[in-house]
Amino acid sequence: MALRDWLELSRAEHALLTFFAVLLGWAVASRGVGLLMAAAGVGPALVTLGAFVLNDYFDVATDRVMGRFDRPLVSGRIRQRVAFWAGCLLLALGVVASLPFGNAFFITLFFAGAAVAYNAFLKKLPLAGNVFIALSMAVPFFYGNVASGAPLSALAALFSAIAFVVGLGRELFITSRDVEGDRSVGAATLPMLAGVGVTNVIASLLFTAGVFLSVLPFNYGAGALYAVLAGVCDALLAYCIFIGLRKPGKRGFAAIRNYSLAALGFGLAAFATLAL
């Protein structure tokens, strides 16, 4: 088992985004930075790692049907039993790491429990699993705000909203990609009920809403650097919409997954210009 296998299994890039989102939620709410702020990001990051490890554990059958033999569990590079206990341990450590941060602890506790429910059965239901993932992408900004002890910040709330609509759109595109595998395990996702075309239109509308919402920070003093970074984010989302509405195949959905992840990174960087 190589370190890169664990980084791939746990989708470490998502945990990193979660960590920085918590930091920025804290910074924009309290207008201050420090080591305590960094400590606040550890719990949610660990929960994110654990959730993705369990996601692959519960998705082994689907990944096999989809021919995802590159995945660490399907390929046998990491044993399934080891992955299961590692995922549970990461969730538990994430909850414990959030204990010093007051009410923010209950947010981490809820999402750790919800992550187990998501992987066990919510992901097989239309929209329910998608909404959970989108919420998990939105809540780190709010978590950071709560952990700081500062009053609710309008900017933190706004970026939570942007992360939610873009995250939900991204999840719908990914669910469209996985229809064949989901059908094999008895899931009933939105693309299976409404069709891939309709789902892609809904996902595109959500990305469009995220683009429009990204303009609102100019009411809170956003400057030129924000405009550049948010502009790159919006351009990437627009390109994802273009791909999605052209009835993408496997390669198209893979491109949407990668470009939308890059868009989230640029969006986070844009928010950083407002927080620091």
Side-chain angles (χ1 to χ4, degrees):
M1 294 182 292
L3 175 61
R4 67 173 179 270
D5 294 331
W6 282 102
L7 293 176
E8 181 183 351
L9 178 66
S10 61
R11 315 294 206 284
E13 66 276 12
H14 289 269
L16 194 61
L17 289 174
T18 296
F19 178 80
F20 282 111
V22 170
L23 266 60
L24 294 178
W26 179 302
V28 79
S30 67
R31 293 298 174 184
V33 296
L35 291 177
L36 192 60
M37 179 180 78
V42 172
L46 289 172
V47 168
T48 301
L49 290 171
F52 274 108
V53 170
L54 290 179
N55 179 71
D56 268 30
Y57 172 81
F58 282 98
D59 266 2
V60 168
T62 301
D63 286 341
R64 284 201 179 110
V65 172
M66 295 294 293
R68 297 296 308 277
F69 299 109
D70 58 318
R71 300 300 303 153
L73 297 188
V74 178
S75 67
R77 284 177 282 148
I78 296 176
R79 293 173 57 191
Q80 293 180 41
R81 185 175 181 181
V82 173
F84 174 78
W85 289 112
C88 292
L89 178 61
L90 286 165
L91 291 181
L93 290 174
V95 171
V96 171
S98 298
L99 273 170
F101 297 98
N103 290 331
F105 161 77
F106 296 103
I107 299 174
T108 307
L109 181 63
F110 170 80
F111 273 91
V116 176
Y118 165 79
N119 285 305
F121 63 88
L122 284 179
K123 66 167 65 177
K124 298 181 180 181
L125 303 177
L127 273 181
N130 304 125
V131 169
F132 166 73
I133 293 297
L135 283 172
S136 71
M137 297 169 69
V139 79
F141 300 103
F142 177 70
Y143 174 95
N145 191 157
V146 173
S148 73
L152 181 62
S153 163
L155 275 174
L158 174 58
F159 270 82
S160 290
I162 294 173
F164 176 79
V165 296
V166 173
L168 182 56
R170 184 172 188 268
E171 281 302 305
L172 290 178
F173 275 129
I174 291 173
T175 305
S176 290
R177 178 198 64 181
D178 294 340
V179 166
E180 183 182 346
D182 288 337
R183 184 178 288 115
S184 71
V185 296
T189 61
L190 185 63
M192 295 168 63
L193 299 177
V196 170
V198 171
T199 302
N200 289 353
V201 169
I202 295 172
S204 297
L205 290 173
L206 288 165
F207 274 12
T208 302
V211 170
F212 279 107
L213 286 173
S214 71
V215 177
L216 295 182
F218 288 106
N219 294 327
Y220 298 93
L225 184 55
Y226 172 86
V228 171
L229 294 170
V232 175
C233 172
D234 292 345
L236 289 169
L237 292 178
Y239 187 56
C240 289
I241 292 171
F242 173 74
I243 297 173
L245 295 180
R246 292 182 63 199
K247 298 182 179 179
K250 186 177 293 186
R251 291 179 63 183
F253 282 123
I256 289 173
R257 181 187 180 279
N258 294 332
Y259 285 126
S260 60
L261 183 62
L264 290 170
F266 277 103
L268 200 59
F271 185 44
T273 67
L274 303 172
L276 302 176

